[in-house]
Amino acid sequence: MRRTRHIWAGATAALLAAGVITGCSSGSDHSAQACAETPNGTVIKAGPTATGTDIATNPEIASGYRSEMSPVRTGSYAVSAANPIATQAACRVLADGGTAADALVAAQTVLGLVEPQASGIGGGAFLMYYDAASKTLDSYDGRETAPAAATQNYLRWVSDTDQTAPQPSARASGRAIGVPGALRLLELAHREHGKQPWRELFEPAITLADQGFAISPRLAGQIAESAPDLARDENAKAYFLQPDGSPKPAGTNLTNPAMSKTLSAIASDGPDAFYTGAIAQDIVDATASTAGGRTPGQLTLADLAGYQAKKRTALCTSYRDHEICGMPNPSSGGIAVAATLGILENFDLAALAPQGVDNNGGKPTPEAVHLISEAERLAYADRDKYVGDSDFIPLPGNSPDTLLNDEYLRQRAAQIKPDRSMGTAQPGDFGPVPLGIGPQQPEHGTSHVSVVDKYGNAAALTTTVESAFGSFHVVDGFVLNNQLTDFSTNPTAADGTPLANRLQPGKRPRSSMSPTLVFDKGADGSRGQLAYVTGSPGGSVIIQFVVKTLVNMLDWKLDPQQAVSGVAFGAANTPVTGVGGEHPAINAADKGDNDPLIRKLRDMGHQVSVDPQTSGLSALQRDGNGWIGGADPRREGAVMGDAK
């Protein structure tokens, strides 16, 4: 074990020095004070695997565990973001009377600077937004789209006549770059729910870009791991690496004058300054670059100019005495979370509560991990086969209800054996459908912001550039996504049947992002008061992270900090069940052979991995007239708000 002060202290100090945040003081307890940092637990669990990553299963590097974090109690508003500088910027917007939609603009633009490996204006996002005055719930889709010129083999080979793979890889070539959607999403949400002027919401990020901030340990670790790939792009190399090619270390003051210029243009002229004109041309040129032998992409000015964020119908389902509302297609997160919970509703989870519950959430029982992992296998099986962009590939029955009706989920639940893992689940049978099953693409770097404002509005925003540092292309100060690699590289199954998530022109790749709002349910079954806001980064594992957190809060009555701090566990549709070895309650030595939980799961047929998990969960819970918040100890996040 090693002890450290807040790992974000240098960055926050830089922000204070830059004048971006004002009127804030350090809290002396765990109640928020004027958007101040709070002294949550700072013990970091380090070990031989704590800074490594398996890119096949983890979206970014693992960066330790802050043990014994306490929940933060706020009054009328609260925000939790994956980096405290972004949390602080959003919190000041709320303190100045802004709405949750206003706070998101400040948070996202700052995150693009302090956490560029995970999200930014060169990527996309999904947003769940609750408007308290009208009691309406909106889902905003800012997912990237494929260029109009893309073919179904766009990621597979250079052309139909040159069937060699894109170079140096599909991800690092221009083929991975989709039309960014984050700014159009923020524009739409702000137009419908914002209160403060658009221009003013960019001031924290512009000031930060001009005056700089201290590179955090987490960002420094990711730069070091990605240095060889960043070196291939001249802009990325100049920004993230030293003149000798070594990675810039933690504590380095990182300025970004190019980003300041970009953000200033967008602040003045709106997102049109990004989707048309000089910035758009720079994006097209960077995508088409053949520097270093890269295979160019075929993104055009017309693709950028034609991009639209979309409003979707929120996916809301019942779970015990609550209503769970998440994202519909093209995210599979809402469907998979709802399906998992619908299966679990057939079991008495309350009787399987964690043991030794403490600030870290205790230790889950083998029976609970088994049951939840099996339910997730069944949900992922359906997700993998049937879910894609439903503007192109309709769901069975043309509705999520087919996959989520109570009788169907009871039948799925009946397939779970109490003492033996199924290993790999089969998708449900809905008769002849023109869809096959293929290998699932890895999904990677992401961030999440949870916000409630003093007006009662709430937002859950999950935002991403896909892999850590996206495509490694940096243009005008920001990272371009590699989101198209979320499509299935091969468009068909082994038998030639098309895949739901195959690439098509203008299509949005399937996602696992799961921003979630939870409401109490009235006695008559109607929607009651907003109760929880949550979500996480984590690639395809996001679904498992969110399920874990919801079960922790709704079934086991843990507070939000305990819920997000708790052991990360779950399964996609493979024989492998993950149990996060970074957690203090898990003995990850010798691959978990000495941990009773791991041994029991293996006795039940689970192939258990104790690799460290890289969730970045946040959760806010209504507490009378105030809020209680939690931030994931596995990243740098913080919860801030007004005094309780």
Side-chain angles (χ1 to χ4, degrees):
M1 292 273 192
R2 63 183 176 89
R3 295 181 181 273
T4 178
R5 290 282 296 169
H6 292 293
I7 56 179
W8 56 78
T12 303
L15 191 58
L16 284 163
V20 177
I21 52 177
T22 58
C24 301
S25 59
S26 293
S28 59
D29 55 24
H30 300 301
S31 293
Q33 297 185 5
C35 298
E37 224 172 83
T38 58
N40 281 346
T42 55
V43 177
I44 305 296
K45 180 186 179 184
T49 60
T51 57
T53 184
D54 174 2
I55 202 63
T57 57
N58 283 329
E60 299 177 35
I61 61 166
S63 51
Y65 187 94
R66 294 175 285 167
S67 189
E68 297 294 328
M69 291 178 68
S70 298
V72 174
R73 299 178 183 274
T74 74
S76 60
Y77 59 84
V79 58
S80 180
N83 183 284
I85 304 179
T87 302
Q88 191 103 56
C91 189
R92 290 307 309 162
V93 170
L94 297 175
D96 291 341
T99 67
D102 295 324
L104 291 178
V105 179
Q108 175 66 95
T109 50
V110 170
L111 281 173
L113 287 164
V114 299
E115 203 187 41
Q117 74 273 25
S119 76
I121 61 174
F126 289 110
L127 167 65
M128 295 293 299
Y129 198 94
Y130 176 66
D131 185 285
S134 62
K135 296 186 177 180
T136 55
L137 183 64
D138 291 317
S139 298
Y140 294 90
D141 172 2
R143 186 67 159 165
E144 297 89 337
T145 57
T151 68
Q152 65 177 6
N153 292 310
Y154 186 68
L155 298 170
R156 191 180 181 191
W157 49 55
V158 172
S159 69
D160 288 343
T161 56
D162 179 5
Q163 295 185 7
T164 58
Q167 297 299 315
S169 66
R171 171 191 172 182
S173 73
R175 296 295 175 89
I177 302 168
V179 182
L183 277 171
R184 285 297 190 205
L185 179 151
L186 292 172
E187 175 190 41
L188 181 56
H190 179 263
R191 183 167 64 239
E192 297 186 344
H193 303 289
K195 192 177 181 70
Q196 293 187 341
W198 173 265
R199 174 195 291 266
E200 294 179 7
L201 301 173
F202 285 74
E203 291 176 1
I206 292 170
T207 303
L208 197 64
D210 283 334
Q211 300 193 16
F213 62 94
I215 293 177
S216 73
R218 180 174 175 79
L219 175 55
Q222 193 68 67
I223 292 172
E225 183 183 76
S226 303
D229 293 301
L230 293 169
R232 291 194 183 102
D233 182 271
E234 287 303 314
N235 291 333
K237 179 180 179 180
Y239 185 44
F240 293 114
L241 306 182
Q242 308 268 39
D244 65 359
S246 63
K248 290 181 178 179
T252 303
N253 189 60
L254 195 64
T255 60
N256 192 335
M259 185 65 154
S260 175
K261 182 179 178 181
T262 295
L263 292 174
S264 296
I266 298 167
S268 297
D269 301 329
D272 284 352
F274 179 92
Y275 288 95
T276 62
I279 297 173
Q281 185 64 60
D282 289 345
I283 294 171
V284 169
D285 291 346
T287 304
S289 172
T290 58
R294 289 184 295 193
T295 301
Q298 297 175 19
L299 194 69
T300 67
L301 290 172
D303 291 322
L304 286 158
Y307 182 86
Q308 293 183 338
K310 296 189 176 185
K311 287 180 70 172
R312 309 276 188 185
T313 301
L315 180 63
C316 296
T317 55
S318 175
Y319 182 64
R320 308 198 196 279
D321 55 354
H322 288 89
E323 182 182 28
I324 314 294
C325 295
M327 279 301 308
N329 308 38
S331 179
S332 65
I335 286 178
V337 169
T340 302
L341 294 176
I343 292 168
L344 292 173
E345 196 161 20
N346 294 280
F347 300 90
D348 182 11
L349 275 183
L352 301 175
Q355 301 167 338
V357 173
D358 55 8
N359 286 344
N360 295 330
K363 187 168 185 174
T365 66
E367 295 78 12
V369 175
H370 169 73
L371 185 60
I372 293 168
S373 299
E374 296 296 278
E376 289 170 344
R377 286 185 168 91
L378 291 161
Y380 273 93
D382 282 349
R383 170 253 197 202
D384 292 348
K385 178 169 183 176
Y386 295 114
V387 180
D389 183 347
S390 53
D391 290 344
F392 289 76
I393 307 295
L395 291 167
N398 292 307
S399 168
D401 295 343
T402 303
L403 294 172
L404 298 175
N405 77 77
D406 291 343
E407 179 55 34
Y408 173 67
L409 295 179
R410 274 194 292 272
Q411 294 172 12
R412 299 293 272 171
Q415 297 181 36
I416 298 177
K417 297 178 181 178
D419 57 357
R420 195 71 190 168
S421 175
M422 66 182 69
T424 302
Q426 294 301 309
D429 184 0
F430 299 104
V433 292
L435 296 174
I437 304 173
Q440 301 310 307
Q441 297 300 108
E443 302 169 36
H444 297 123
T446 315
S447 195
H448 182 82
V449 183
S450 295
V451 188
V452 290
D453 64 31
K454 67 180 182 181
Y455 312 106
N457 308 313
L461 175 79
T462 311
T463 169
T464 182
V465 291
E466 217 286 321
S467 297
F469 297 112
S471 63
F472 306 116
H473 291 62
V474 172
V475 56
D476 294 338
F478 58 89
V479 171
L480 286 172
N481 69 84
N482 67 305
Q483 212 70 64
L484 299 190
T485 59
D486 275 358
F487 283 117
S488 299
T489 303
N490 192 326
T492 63
D495 63 0
T497 310
L499 301 178
N501 193 39
R502 65 187 181 275
L503 197 154
Q504 295 172 269
K507 191 177 182 181
R508 301 175 188 225
R510 180 173 59 207
S511 169
S512 295
M513 290 187 278
S514 307
T516 304
L517 301 178
V518 180
F519 297 85
D520 293 331
K521 199 161 56 174
D524 61 353
S526 62
R527 179 179 299 161
Q529 197 173 38
L530 176 73
Y532 300 89
V533 183
T534 192
S536 181
S540 60
V541 194
I542 288 173
I543 293 160
Q544 298 164 44
F545 296 151
V546 170
V547 166
K548 174 208 81 167
T549 303
L550 291 173
V551 169
N552 275 341
M553 294 190 296
L554 303 182
D555 288 293
W556 297 334
K557 310 305 179 187
L558 273 60
D559 70 44
Q561 187 59 62
Q562 293 170 322
V564 301
S565 292
V567 175
F569 63 86
N573 192 23
T574 77
V576 178
T577 298
V579 178
E582 79 291 341
H583 195 280
I586 302 300
N587 182 355
D590 299 322
K591 299 183 178 180
D593 286 348
N594 301 310
D595 189 287
L597 168 62
I598 308 304
R599 289 202 306 267
K600 177 62 174 176
L601 289 170
R602 286 175 176 156
D603 288 344
M604 300 168 81
H606 294 263
Q607 297 179 21
V608 182
S609 166
V610 292
D611 288 346
Q613 297 294 305
T614 58
S615 57
L617 285 152
S618 70
L620 304 174
Q621 176 187 356
R622 183 180 294 279
D623 178 37
N625 294 322
W627 293 89
I628 306 175
D632 204 315
R634 299 161 185 86
R635 297 201 184 194
E636 300 170 327
V639 181
M640 300 179 193
D642 57 340
K644 175 71 172 174

